[in-house]
Amino acid sequence: MFFKSIRNKFAAIPALWVGAIFIVCSAGLALRWSAVRHLDNAARFKAASRLDYFEFGRSLREVGVLGWSGQACAFRGPVFPALLSWIESYRPDRRPRMPALQALMGALETPVAAAAAIELFSPAAGLAAAAMTAFHPEMSLSIPGCKIETLFGLLMCLVAWALIRWSRRPTWTATVLLAFSIGVSLMCRAVLFAFPLVLLCAVLLGVMPSPGRGKVWLLLLLPYVVLGPWVLRNALQFGRFIPFEDHAATRNLYAASVGYVENSDGPYQDILAIENDPQGIAALAADPDKRILTLAWRNIKTSPGAYAVSCGRRFLY
């Protein structure tokens, strides 16, 4: 449904613009495909992957449990590990398949971005959006082994496209597609956790025309209903309400509370916690997630201005 509406959008513009955008999309795919070549064996694939996603996907494939080596965990959402477990064989004698899929998903971002810009502005804007998406070095030359950024970037493009289409013509189908795409994104990362409420406020304040009470309720509730199986699994498995990734952002929140902007790989947040709270090493060792979250809230309450500056810097980073 998404891609049919995108195809229809391209069919409605002059062929010259379609040809130019097609060339840009093809070049973007070629760049991404060339970046995949160095991930041609299992060792290189693993080295280029995030260990948590790699192990979650392998655990799902080998023992059917989302977590670390068969030990259930909710640190990562289920969508990307499930896709990884379905695509990847995890056999050392096989060429990894996931990098090729990552290249294709990354390449799909280009026509979606172009269609969104055409819908909002003009074919020229669509060509510019396609070029920026296709040729940005961080998007075209850094295809990872198994990291979620490519899939999540495509999901964000699809949410943007669905939102634009819904705002233009809020049919029931458009409402379901928008709400469902938001829900799927929440099972990857919780970036849009409050977005249905933002849309509701936009309708109530008259910023966006009301599509009708039933569609507003559907848009508000369906994204969270999509999360239902994940929430139920976590409640049964861990006895807690875990709607998103469990403590996935805790360490980043702590780093931001002490002025760090870039999220680096490795346990640098734990090292910061030890340096800034040497008396709390025992508590950190006993329950690191709880201790780091406590320290983060303490820092924010003590210096809310510094935390606000840190958040502002992240928007500009």
Side-chain angles (χ1 to χ4, degrees), residues 143-155:
I143 298 298
C146 54
K147 298 179 184 178
I148 199 172
E149 283 73 17
T150 305
L151 171 63
F152 193 69
L154 177 59
L155 282 172

Side-chain angles (χ1 to χ4, degrees), residues 137-301:
E138 291 299 320
M139 300 177 71
S140 62
L141 299 177
S142 58
I143 298 298
C146 54
K147 298 179 184 178
I148 199 172
E149 283 73 17
T150 305
L151 171 63
F152 193 69
L154 177 59
L155 282 172
M156 291 298 96
C157 288
L158 292 175
V159 169
W161 172 251
L163 176 61
I164 293 167
R165 298 293 293 176
W166 179 80
S167 66
R168 295 284 195 268
R169 190 165 174 261
T171 63
W172 284 103
T173 300
T175 305
V176 170
L177 286 175
L178 175 58
F180 183 75
S181 61
I182 294 172
V184 173
S185 79
L186 293 178
M187 289 197 291
C188 293
R189 283 181 171 170
V191 174
L192 299 181
F193 76 96
F195 194 50
L197 297 174
V198 172
L199 293 177
L200 174 62
C201 291
V203 171
L204 294 177
L205 295 174
V207 178
M208 299 180 68
S210 175
R213 184 176 300 177
K215 293 171 186 172
V216 169
W217 276 110
L218 181 63
L219 186 59
L220 180 63
L221 296 177
L222 182 57
Y224 305 116
V225 171
V226 173
L227 285 170
W230 172 246
V231 174
L232 180 61
R233 175 260 190 187
N234 293 334
L236 295 174
Q237 190 82 53
F238 309 111
R240 292 189 289 126
F241 176 66
I242 305 174
F244 308 116
E245 296 175 305
D246 191 27
H247 285 293
T250 296
R251 284 170 169 75
N252 294 340
L253 177 66
Y254 174 75
S257 75
V258 293
Y260 277 68
V261 176
E262 182 180 5
N263 295 330
S264 302
D265 291 333
Y268 78 101
Q269 299 101 330
D270 299 61
I271 296 171
L272 284 174
I274 294 171
E275 291 175 348
N276 289 289
D277 184 46
Q279 286 77 30
I281 293 178
L284 184 66
D287 193 340
D289 291 327
K290 182 179 179 180
R291 183 59 182 171
I292 287 181
L293 185 60
T294 300
L295 292 174
W297 286 126
R298 186 190 71 181
N299 293 340
I300 293 170
K301 291 176 182 177

Side-chain angles (χ1 to χ4, degrees), residues 13-35:
I13 66 173
L16 182 63
W17 288 110
V18 175
I21 293 172
F22 177 78
I23 291 172
V24 170
C25 290
S26 300
L29 174 60
L31 282 173
R32 287 158 176 79
W33 204 261
S34 66

Side-chain angles (χ1 to χ4, degrees), residues 63 71 90 153 182 282 300:
V63 296
Q71 183 176 355
Y90 285 95
I182 294 172
I300 293 170

Side-chain angles (χ1 to χ4, degrees), residues 108-151:
L108 281 174
E109 294 171 2
T110 306
V112 179
I118 292 169
E119 182 74 25
L120 289 173
F121 302 106
S122 65
L127 179 60
M132 287 188 286
T133 307
F135 301 129
H136 192 292
E138 291 299 320
M139 300 177 71
S140 62
L141 299 177
S142 58
I143 298 298
C146 54
K147 298 179 184 178
I148 199 172
E149 283 73 17
T150 305
L151 171 63

